Amino acid sequence: MRRTADSLRHTVDHPIGNALGAHYAAFMSMLTPPGMGGQYRIKGDRYPRMRRPRNRRKLVLAGLATAMVLGLIGWGSLQIVGVFAGNVDSAQAAGRPGDRCRAEDGKAPADEQTAASSGTAGKTGKADRTGGSSTALPKPQKITVNVLNATSRGGLAAKTAKELKKRGFALGEVANAPARLDHKVDAAGLFIGATGAETLTRMKVLGPQLDGAKTRHDERKSDDVDLVIGNDFTGLTDAKDAARAVEALAEPSPKPSQNC
């Protein structure tokens, strides 16, 4: 039919062809549905394109969504593989904590160190059953304190010595500080004692009694400790707070973990 219309359309010089072409166009225009004109009007020489144009935006969005879903699936797969691989490595490492610690720092693992220290503790009879190491602190009655006032405020040595006696400490000399220390202690106080581990344990018990105090060692041979009252002295630490601090120092330290 289209071929006929084309042939009739090209025969414009023939009156019969012109008449047939006009009648054919009028016949085809009658096939146009009601209310549809413009680009959907059937004109006779070609059929209109009735299909709706494709929505490219929807196609692009659908492609992006598909790519995101595939990416998430791939990422999740990698995470699952990594988790299972990590569990295997952790299980292997848990079976050989000592080897891993040696490789990192070149030291013996914690279990071997504990075993070595337990032999020494067994000889001294001071092994801790909880697996931790405890610090044996002396009782206040075993610590002799010399209270020396290095300030211009009178009566501080006697008042401080009285308070220390209430807390159980043994008192030695109570007097003014020597000239080399007078007005030269720029702190709340200064603890002076002999060198050695035993003096350190005594100062651990004395330290919580006076916050902000400094420590110093000299060449004395005796076991007493000097408490020199300094320029910033305002009083001893509260007795309950000091007792709790000493108890915390006396508690055994926890056993080291297997982690390096």
Side-chain angles (χ1 to χ4, degrees):
M1 182 180 294
R2 184 174 180 179
R3 184 176 180 183
T4 304
D6 293 339
S7 61
L8 291 175
R9 182 162 52 106
H10 290 294
T11 56
V12 294
D13 56 344
H14 199 284
I16 298 177
N18 291 337
L20 289 176
H23 286 293
Y24 179 76
F27 171 75
M28 294 301 293
S29 63
M30 294 174 62
L31 299 178
T32 303
M36 296 182 63
Q39 61 177 338
Y40 298 104
R41 182 178 182 83
I42 301 176
K43 300 179 181 179
D45 57 346
R46 60 186 179 86
Y47 291 98
R49 185 175 181 178
M50 302 298 291
R51 186 177 63 179
R52 297 179 61 185
R54 295 181 179 179
N55 194 334
R56 295 185 178 180
R57 182 179 180 183
K58 291 184 178 180
L59 293 177
V60 173
L61 292 178
L64 292 176
T66 303
M68 291 179 63
V69 171
L70 293 176
L72 289 175
I73 293 174
W75 180 80
S77 301
L78 292 176
Q79 293 299 316
I80 293 175
V81 172
V83 168
F84 283 105
N87 290 337
V88 173
D89 295 340
S90 299
Q92 293 176 353
R96 306 189 304 272
D99 297 341
R100 181 165 55 87
C101 293
R102 282 196 193 95
E104 292 182 1
D105 55 16
K107 297 181 180 180
D111 291 342
E112 296 181 6
Q113 293 178 359
T114 304
S117 61
S118 63
T120 305
K123 295 179 181 179
T124 58
K126 296 182 181 180
D128 187 6
R129 295 181 180 180
T130 61
S133 59
S134 60
T135 303
L137 298 179
K139 298 295 183 180
Q141 294 82 358
K142 300 294 183 179
I143 302 175
T144 301
V145 185
N146 302 316
V147 184
L148 308 176
N149 185 8
T151 71
S152 59
R153 291 172 286 175
L156 286 182
K159 184 179 179 180
T160 304
K162 184 178 179 180
E163 180 63 27
L164 289 174
K165 186 176 181 180
K166 290 181 180 179
R167 302 183 183 189
F169 292 93
L171 296 180
E173 182 182 2
V174 180
N176 291 327
R180 59 185 176 83
L181 294 174
D182 193 24
H183 296 89
K184 297 179 182 180
V185 179
D186 295 329
L190 175 64
F191 292 111
I192 305 175
T195 58
E198 293 183 357
T199 301
L200 291 177
T201 58
R202 297 187 186 99
M203 290 187 176
K204 284 184 177 181
V205 180
L206 278 171
Q209 313 301 323
L210 180 57
D211 291 336
K214 299 179 180 180
T215 59
R216 184 187 299 176
H217 300 279
D218 56 15
E219 300 299 329
R220 73 181 66 189
K221 302 299 181 182
S222 59
D223 296 336
D224 57 344
V225 178
D226 295 343
L227 169 55
V228 183
I229 300 175
N231 298 326
D232 298 336
F233 180 83
T234 57
L236 295 176
T237 307
D238 182 76
K240 294 181 179 180
D241 295 339
R244 283 193 291 266
V246 174
E247 290 177 0
L249 292 173
E251 290 179 357
S253 58
K255 183 180 179 180
S257 63
Q258 297 296 334
N259 297 329
C260 297

